Amino acid sequence: MLDTPTPCLEEAACGPARRHASVAVKVGSVQVGGLIAGHPAPIVVQSMTNTDTADIEATVKQVAELARAGSEIVRITVDRDEAAAAVPVIRERLEKQGVFVPLVGDFHYIGHTLLAEHPACAEALAKYRINPGNVGFKDKKDRQFSAIIEMALKYNKPVRIGANWGSLDQELLTALMDENARSNAPIEARAVMREAMVQSALLSAQRAEELGLGADKIILSAKVSAVQDLITIYRMLAQRSCYALHLGLTEAGMGSKGIVASSAALGILLQEGIGDTIRFSLTPEPGGDRTLEVKTAQELLQTMGFRVFVPLVAACPGCGRTTSTVFQELARDIQTWISTSMPEWKTRYPGVEALNVAVMGCIVNGPGESKHADIGISLPGTGETPAAPVFIDGQKAKTLRGPTIAADFKLLVAEYIETRYGTR
């Protein structure tokens, strides 16, 4: 059993679950883990670009898009000299656009060389990401890992030590497999691999501390692509350390498959209080929207009650009582309107992200759900009187009729936002 390198803090209640106590790490201006004013720090949303970092224009554009979508930390690939040389230019151009999101350098194989030969890159990055499975091999492993830690110390940067199932430390895995084979009660190979993932991260963190890097400069992750493996491994990490933890299901996949898999794994861990920062590693459609991974991560945190990012629009799924598509169209229009308006609203209407709107399709649950929202409408279902009661702060405010119901309700929502949030 590895020694816990740092004392853990008292656990603190937060939202629907108690958060696993972790040491706070500052990544640029963003705090990951720990406490803020006696309360657990918000769970941070992050993402990663898929541009060639040496392509400065494309990378600046995508980082800005991710940041404006709500990514609080953005990781970029630093794989060769051209990419390393581009980093300080990317940082400068982003700041000229008013984008100050912390940038994390993703290093594999030659990170120690790139950081040493490109000091401007080392300075411009807010954090370095190291994979202990490919930072170096055999006698080079400790030397090259140590070199990166020394650079982190020199530039006062935190590191994420990220073990990955696809590039697991083979020396460590072989040693654990051999030890298991000699055991009187051997466990299955998959369990040994899980233990190797945990030990790879913890042993590397322990070595980093021996070199002088504090626990307040270390974030751990252990990326796998299977939901049950991820849950088990992070439970083990949480039980055996108090480092800040980055959650993410690697290679989650495309479309609904990736969203469901990531939500299932991360949702369980977050509910158990495990995780300080998250990423949805979604595969976009060719030419697709990279910001989808940011939006889905935000939706998970907001749905679970951990954070609030945008106003919620509750809408019924529809059934045989709602053969009209009016409520679907109105729900879509309201959601789109809110999404496009949020950049302006955040400035004009502080607190508007907590707004709840309900767009319901018939009399069965419509009035009740509308009363629970800040403002809601219950549209007439099939065969019902063509009238739509509107509820504001739990009270029936008026009834809309006629062909302009949708437009009239949108005006009422705008008036509600101005009245409630515009005077703050």
Side-chain angles (χ1 to χ4, degrees), residues 48-68 74-80 82-83 86-91 93-94 97 99 101 103-104 125 290:
M48 184 176 184
T49 59
N50 60 358
T51 58
D52 178 359
T53 305
D55 185 340
I56 293 172
E57 183 177 350
T59 303
V60 167
K61 181 177 183 291
Q62 191 172 88
V63 171
E65 289 171 349
L66 291 167
R68 286 167 181 150
V74 177
R75 183 159 47 114
I76 60 177
T77 298
V78 187
D79 58 347
R80 62 194 196 281
E82 293 83 357
V87 170
V89 182
I90 291 168
R91 174 75 278 162
R93 292 194 184 180
L94 285 167
Q97 295 182 23
V99 178
V101 64
L103 297 178
V104 177
L125 293 169
R290 189 68 170 177

Side-chain angles (χ1 to χ4, degrees), residues 249-281:
L249 189 73
T250 192
E251 298 147 5
M254 184 179 288
S256 61
K257 184 267 181 188
I259 293 172
V260 170
S262 292
S263 297
L266 272 59
I268 289 170
L269 290 167
L270 291 170
Q271 187 63 26
E272 294 180 3
I274 298 170
D276 301 292
T277 177
I278 66 172
R279 182 199 170 199
F280 271 53
S281 298

Side-chain angles (χ1 to χ4, degrees), residues 313-390:
V313 179
C316 70
C319 66
R321 298 177 62 92
T322 56
T323 53
S324 168
T325 61
V326 173
F327 84 95
Q328 297 166 325
E329 293 164 358
L330 180 57
R332 179 198 60 202
D333 290 348
I334 292 291
Q335 186 71 68
T336 301
W337 175 53
I338 286 173
S339 296
T340 56
S341 300
M342 274 307 291
E344 177 190 356
W345 286 358
K346 284 180 180 179
T347 302
R348 291 183 59 192
Y349 305 116
V352 71
E353 62 274 8
L355 176 70
N356 284 305
V357 181
V359 180
M360 307 304 294
C362 77
I363 201 171
V364 174
N365 292 314
E369 291 288 348
S370 296
K371 288 178 182 178
H372 290 306
D374 294 315
I375 180 168
I377 187 170
S378 178
L379 293 161
T382 305
E384 294 178 7
T385 302
V390 174

Side-chain angles (χ1 to χ4, degrees), residues 29-47:
S29 60
V30 177
Q31 179 171 322
V32 176
L35 303 175
I36 296 177
H39 300 282
I43 298 165
V44 174
V45 172
Q46 61 180 280
S47 58

Side-chain angles (χ1 to χ4, degrees), residues 230-252:
L230 191 85
I231 293 168
T232 300
I233 288 169
Y234 273 94
R235 283 173 175 166
M236 294 165 70
L237 280 172
Q239 289 168 357
R240 290 157 62 173
S241 79
C242 53
Y243 294 111
L245 298 177
H246 167 85
L247 303 187
L249 189 73
T250 192
E251 298 147 5

